[in-house]
Amino acid sequence: KMVDPTLAEMGKNLNEAMKMLEDNQRKVEEENEKKYARKDIPGPLQGSGQDMVSILQLVQNLMHGEEEEETSQAYRLQNVGEQGHMALLGHSLAAYISVLDRERLRKLTTRILSDTTLWLCRLFRYENGSAYYHEDDREGLLKICRLVIHTRYEDYTIEGFNVLYTKQPVIYISSAARTGLGQALCNQLGLPLSCMCRVPCNTMFGSQHQMDVALLDRVIKHDVESGKLPLLLVANAGTPGAGHTDKLGRLKELCEQYNMWLHVEGVNLATLALGYVSSSVLAATKCDSMTLTLGSWLGLPAVPAVTLYRHEDPSLSLAAGLTSSQPVEKLRALPLWLSLQYLGHDGIVERIKHASQLSQRLLENLKNLDFIKTSVEDELSSPVVVFKFFQEYSNRDQTSHAAQASTIQHPIISNERHIYDTFNQWLGEQLAQLVPASGVDVVELEDEGTCVRFSPLMTSAVLGTEIQDVDQLVDCLKMKIPVLTSTLQLREEFEQEVRRTVGLLYIEDLSWPGLGVVRYNYHSDGKNDDKQEKELEKINTELLKKLNELESDLTFSSGPEFGGQKNCVYIGMVTEDLDVAELVETIAATGREIEENSRLLENMTEVVRKGIQEAQLQLQKANEERLLEEGLLRQIPVVGSVLNWFSPFQASPKGRTFNLTAGSLESTESTYVSKAQGTGTTPPPTPTSSLAKQRLPGQKIFKRSLRSSDAFSETSSVSHCDDLEKVDQRPPAQSPGQEQGSLETEKPEEQKVAVQATKTDAEDVQTDKSPHDCMKVEEQESQR
């Protein structure tokens, strides 16, 4: 058959426009770059108009601007496939169809609406249902509430809200429902917040994300006795956080008992299209209404959400806004009508089945991981997988993992809870960054705290998630677990080392995902607070700079941009081979070095200032003495010159030199006599950290040797041997003169023997770091 030329041209233009908009790698010509250089600033409407290519080019520049070049890894557009093009074509067709004559438009919209409703009701096992298509996913529930109000209050159409005073309506929602849902319903319906009742979840038996049915029964009885009218119950088939399903069968019985309307929403409703459906989700087919979000489940852009409902009175549905007499409003279903035909029944089921297989694949892999706890409702079929990192303090053995891997238990101390929340927040962000196609995100649950959520039904069709992406996610998780466990174990040791070290202050920041936070404490000498704060900031900034210059695997930073402590050094995640004692000692020694250099500069500035003043006074006094020695006649201009020619006055030049080392003024007479400047006293050496530790080839700083890591504990002989080695290698305190003399008189043979002995002792300490060998080091040093 011949295709309408207008429709063919519309499809062609849409394909060309989509190709142009999706080509984000296309280079823009220089004139276009200049033309749209100030694209963020609104400008006047051009009088002559623009062609289609220029307008689409402008849209492309707005979509793929300079911001994408900076954040190209974090920014990800939805992969719009052929089915997405069909959905977008539906919006263009809706505008074209709306110009048809009224009779043709009525027939076409009725066919589109009836076909789409029939397909959805059969696909999701909802018999004899009607459909309402809406853009906002909360709008369907809002219309259902209006329908129930019209149904339960017969005079509501005539008297309006006056009939609500006699019996106040009550809407019940779960405490695990979407945030702000109850308040949004009350605002749109014009009801007070007292009409909204939040039902708590289970606390003793069953899932802690399911509505407590027994408590709900008691609440409804109390409301009925108080003269209120139970109106509607909103249940979840997949809570927004953990993806758990309420006991829909019992809730339906309770609603029938009190003549209430049962509305169900949630991501688990998508599994109704599969061949095998869990009994808890299958009970949703008996509810009075349900909301389906097909756009995210099937990866369809700009398609409406659908609310399926059963009601016998079409006039009340029309009054509530669920149906419309305007044919144009029925065209909302056109994008969905085209997309469902393109995918077909098998294609829709295959997409939902693929998402369920992804979640099951991840759940099976998580069971074999230590220190990972999952929170799923059904081990066999769970569309949403929620997991978190958790390490028992009392029993860290792997044997306890089998008893604790299925559910997350919650006897956690408040500080530990905050620490685990911080670590899991970091874990979720790392996994999302390393495997962006997985679609994992971080979720805050009331009982479990911060967790990582994998909900492929909401993300896999959009991001194109595959099995290999789940395997890559598991591999990344295996890499991050040792880092988390090591950091968690070394946090306490780091805190103890910092508190024992003079000059360092431990800052407790439970929201920092890392080893800890430390600040170098500046010792002020009677300075005011402002000057002390500036000096503290200067020292800690320089300390952070020097630590980052070290060749180590650690990350040092100034903390988060918002909410962090000032003038601190934040240390990130660490591995198990970290030498905490060496790290803390390096931080303290580097801070002392910076402080001493700062004090030396301040003292030198003060000494130079006083020396200049003293030199000016002495030079003024020397000039006065020179005038007295020369006599008055020599000061007269002409007479003085004649007198100096006949009888020259011999006077030695008297100058002053400032010794920075001694901080004193000295005469320059010896310089003029010897014709050379004296060296003066040898300046003291610049203070350094002196942390030259013997290391294995290729071993980085702050790393322990893993060869003998099993032979000692975290705080045993390693630091003791290192201390002995440092004490033995340190020369005795001598004066500068004695040190020079001893170096001159020492024989080369003795130097060679001493160097060999030192090397032998250092090798003994490195090869075996047990306490017995440390005693050998002491004996060898005493004999030497």
Side-chain angles (χ1 to χ4, degrees):
K1 295 181 180 181
M2 294 295 294
V3 182
D4 188 350
T6 306
L7 296 179
E9 185 179 359
M10 184 184 302
K12 181 181 178 181
N13 293 337
L14 179 64
N15 290 331
E16 292 179 356
M18 291 303 301
K19 288 180 181 179
M20 181 176 294
L21 294 178
E22 290 176 353
D23 187 15
N24 56 351
Q25 302 295 335
R26 179 178 176 180
K27 295 183 179 180
V28 185
E29 298 179 358
E30 295 183 359
E31 60 267 18
N32 287 334
E33 289 182 354
K34 296 179 181 178
K35 187 175 182 179
Y36 304 118
R38 304 181 65 182
K39 56 182 178 294
D40 294 332
I41 303 176
L45 181 64
Q46 296 186 9
S48 59
Q50 301 183 47
D51 56 0
M52 180 65 68
V53 177
S54 300
I55 297 175
L56 290 178
Q57 186 66 60
L58 174 61
V59 175
Q60 180 188 8
N61 293 337
L62 294 175
M63 292 173 58
H64 312 287
E66 300 176 355
E67 295 80 11
E68 184 188 358
E69 300 178 358
E70 301 175 358
T71 60
S72 57
Q73 296 181 354
Y75 183 69
R76 185 183 180 91
L77 279 176
Q78 177 177 342
N79 184 18
V80 181
E82 289 293 332
Q83 74 282 355
H85 287 185
M86 295 300 297
L88 300 178
L89 179 62
H91 291 275
S92 301
L93 283 175
Y96 175 70
I97 294 174
S98 63
V99 300
L100 297 177
D101 60 272
R102 188 174 184 83
E103 184 62 24
R104 289 191 178 186
L105 179 61
R106 185 186 61 80
K107 291 181 180 180
L108 181 59
T109 54
T110 302
R111 173 64 185 274
I112 293 173
L113 194 64
S114 58
D115 283 350
T116 310
T117 303
L118 177 62
W119 297 338
L120 292 177
C121 288
R122 290 183 177 180
L123 188 64
F124 294 97
R125 309 185 185 194
Y126 197 80
E127 299 178 357
N128 301 325
S130 302
Y132 171 66
Y133 303 89
H134 46 93
E135 302 297 334
D136 188 359
D137 54 359
R138 296 178 299 184
E139 187 179 353
L141 177 57
L142 176 63
K143 301 292 186 181
I144 290 296
C145 291
R146 289 178 178 173
L147 174 64
V148 179
I149 291 176
H150 279 279
T151 304
R152 297 301 301 274
Y153 295 93
E154 297 180 357
D155 298 333
Y156 181 77
T157 306
I158 301 174
E159 298 184 6
F161 289 101
N162 292 326
V163 299
L164 302 180
Y165 288 112
T166 57
K167 279 192 175 183
Q168 179 180 343
V170 182
I171 301 174
Y172 303 90
I173 63 173
S174 173
S175 59
R178 287 180 290 173
T179 304
L181 177 61
Q183 185 176 1
L185 290 177
C186 290
N187 292 338
Q188 293 296 323
L189 295 172
L191 298 176
L193 292 179
S194 59
C195 294
M196 191 61 56
C197 178
R198 295 180 61 88
V199 183
C201 295
N202 296 323
T203 56
M204 298 295 295
F205 305 101
S207 170
Q208 296 186 352
H209 300 279
Q210 292 179 347
M211 194 183 304
D212 192 338
V213 181
L215 180 59
L216 174 63
D217 189 9
R218 294 195 297 268
V219 171
I220 295 176
K221 287 182 179 180
H222 180 269
D223 290 340
V224 172
E225 294 173 356
S226 302
K228 298 180 180 180
L229 180 63
L231 201 66
L232 180 140
L233 173 63
V234 182
N236 292 303
T239 56
H244 290 201
T245 303
D246 290 324
K247 298 176 182 179
L248 300 179
R250 295 183 58 187
L251 293 177
K252 179 58 180 175
E253 296 175 358
L254 197 63
C255 290
E256 291 178 350
Q257 178 182 352
Y258 293 99
N259 194 19
M260 295 172 55
W261 185 284
L262 178 60
H263 178 82
V264 181
E265 59 181 19
V267 66
N268 292 348
L269 292 175
T271 59
L272 290 172
L274 301 178
Y276 169 77
V277 187
S278 62
S279 59
S280 59
V281 179
L282 189 61
T285 58
K286 304 299 182 182
C287 66
D288 299 301
S289 61
M290 65 170 66
T291 298
L292 310 175
T293 55
L294 298 170
S296 57
W297 298 349
L298 304 178
L300 302 175
V303 297
V306 185
T307 296
L308 302 179
Y309 65 96
R310 296 189 185 98
H311 198 266
E312 298 178 355
D313 193 347
S315 62
L316 295 181
S317 300
L318 181 62
L322 289 170
T323 58
S324 176
S325 59
Q326 298 295 328
V328 178
E329 294 188 7
K330 298 180 181 180
L331 289 175
R332 292 180 182 175
L334 181 58
L336 195 56
W337 183 71
L338 295 175
S339 300
L340 293 179
Q341 290 188 88
Y342 182 85
L343 291 174
H345 183 277
D346 295 338
I348 296 172
V349 174
E350 184 61 30
R351 289 191 172 226
I352 299 176
K353 184 179 179 180
H354 174 68
S356 300
Q357 291 174 351
L358 292 176
S359 60
Q360 194 64 26
R361 178 66 171 264
L362 178 62
L363 184 59
E364 292 175 357
N365 288 316
L366 292 180
K367 293 178 182 179
N368 302 324
L369 295 181
D370 296 324
F371 310 117
I372 293 296
K373 288 188 174 182
T374 58
S375 175
V376 293
E377 183 181 13
D378 188 0
E379 295 289 341
L380 299 177
S381 177
S382 180
V384 181
V385 179
V386 176
F387 62 93
K388 65 179 293 186
F389 166 77
F390 186 79
Q391 185 178 13
E392 294 284 354
Y393 273 91
S394 58
N395 187 6
R396 300 179 187 267
D397 298 335
Q398 297 181 2
T399 57
S400 63
H401 172 68
Q404 64 190 17
S406 58
T407 56
I408 301 177
Q409 302 178 6
H410 323 292
I412 308 176
I413 307 175
S414 59
N415 285 350
E416 295 180 4
R417 169 72 178 265
H418 287 299
I419 293 175
Y420 279 112
D421 288 348
T422 302
F423 277 41
N424 283 285
Q425 177 79 24
W426 177 85
L427 177 62
E429 293 174 354
Q430 289 291 311
L431 294 178
Q433 181 179 0
L434 295 174
V435 193
S438 64
V440 295
D441 60 347
V442 180
V443 61
E444 296 286 342
L445 300 180
E446 183 177 356
D447 296 314
E448 291 87 348
T450 304
C451 299
V452 183
R453 179 177 58 186
F454 178 66
S455 182
L457 275 172
M458 301 297 294
T459 59
S460 63
V462 174
L463 300 177
T465 311
E466 299 294 339
I467 294 293
Q468 53 268 25
D469 295 323
V470 177
D471 296 338
Q472 183 182 359
L473 180 67
V474 175
D475 294 338
C476 294
L477 187 58
K478 292 179 180 179
M479 295 172 55
K480 297 300 179 182
I481 289 177
V483 177
L484 291 169
T485 54
S486 302
T487 306
L488 187 63
Q489 292 174 359
L490 295 176
R491 278 177 69 102
E492 184 177 355
E493 181 183 352
F494 176 76
E495 179 180 355
Q496 295 176 358
E497 287 288 342
V498 171
R499 295 188 185 279
R500 286 197 298 262
T501 305
V502 179
L504 296 182
L505 179 63
Y506 180 80
I507 306 298
E508 186 175 8
D509 190 351
L510 301 179
S511 61
W512 172 248
L515 184 63
V517 186
V518 64
R519 173 188 296 162
Y520 185 80
N521 231 1
Y522 174 67
H523 303 284
S524 61
D525 299 331
K527 298 181 179 179
N528 54 29
D529 295 339
D530 295 339
K531 189 173 182 180
Q532 181 180 353
E533 185 72 19
K534 293 180 180 179
E535 194 67 25
L536 180 65
E537 180 181 0
K538 179 181 177 182
I539 293 178
N540 283 276
T541 302
E542 186 67 21
L543 174 62
L544 178 61
K545 180 181 178 181
K546 287 186 175 295
L547 290 175
N548 283 321
E549 292 175 355
L550 299 176
E551 295 181 359
S552 67
D553 295 334
L554 301 181
T555 57
F556 302 95
S557 65
S558 57
E561 184 178 359
F562 303 102
Q565 297 285 339
K566 295 182 178 180
N567 306 326
C568 296
V569 177
Y570 286 74
I571 306 173
M573 293 289 179
V574 299
T575 54
E576 60 179 352
D577 57 350
L578 174 68
D579 193 338
V580 178
E582 181 186 359
L583 171 62
V584 175
E585 184 181 356
T586 302
I587 295 175
T590 308
R592 287 193 297 267
E593 177 183 346
I594 297 173
E595 182 182 4
E596 290 175 3
N597 291 338
S598 177
R599 289 179 181 273
L600 180 62
L601 182 61
E602 290 182 0
N603 295 335
M604 185 179 298
T605 304
E606 184 66 20
V607 169
V608 169
R609 186 181 64 82
K610 293 181 178 180
I612 292 175
Q613 294 177 355
E614 184 179 355
Q616 291 176 348
L617 295 176
Q618 292 186 9
L619 290 176
Q620 183 179 0
K621 185 178 180 181
N623 290 332
E624 295 176 355
E625 293 177 354
R626 183 174 60 82
L627 292 176
L628 294 177
E629 292 178 0
E630 292 179 356
L632 182 60
L633 293 177
R634 294 182 183 273
Q635 309 306 321
I636 301 174
V638 179
V639 177
S641 301
V642 175
L643 185 60
N644 288 332
W645 184 74
F646 282 105
S647 175
F649 180 76
Q650 300 293 335
S652 60
K654 294 182 180 181
R656 297 292 184 269
T657 179
F658 184 72
N659 192 338
L660 292 176
T661 304
S664 59
L665 288 174
E666 298 177 359
S667 177
T668 57
E669 294 181 1
S670 59
T671 303
Y672 289 103
V673 171
S674 60
K675 305 298 182 181
Q677 187 173 0
T679 58
T681 310
T682 303
T686 304
T688 57
S689 58
S690 302
L691 293 175
K693 180 182 176 181
Q694 298 290 339
R695 303 187 181 280
L696 296 175
Q699 183 180 0
K700 290 188 176 183
I701 192 173
F702 309 138
K703 296 292 184 182
R704 289 199 303 256
S705 176
L706 296 179
R707 294 186 306 172
S708 57
S709 59
D710 297 333
F712 57 88
S713 62
E714 295 179 357
T715 57
S716 62
S717 58
V718 178
S719 58
H720 181 61
C721 294
D722 293 342
D723 293 339
L724 288 176
E725 182 180 358
K726 293 172 185 176
V727 171
D728 296 336
Q729 292 181 356
R730 190 180 299 120
Q734 295 179 354
S735 63
Q738 293 175 351
E739 182 178 359
Q740 184 178 2
S742 62
L743 292 175
E744 291 177 355
T745 56
E746 186 177 5
K747 296 181 180 180
E749 293 80 1
E750 294 177 355
Q751 294 179 358
K752 185 176 182 181
V753 172
V755 171
Q756 291 179 352
T758 305
K759 290 182 178 180
T760 304
D761 297 342
E763 292 174 357
D764 292 339
V765 173
Q766 287 182 353
T767 54
D768 193 358
K769 295 188 178 182
S770 63
H772 178 67
D773 292 332
C774 292
M775 298 300 296
K776 287 183 179 181
V777 175
E778 293 181 352
E779 293 177 1
Q780 292 175 0
E781 293 299 329
S782 61
Q783 292 176 3
R784 191 181 69 172

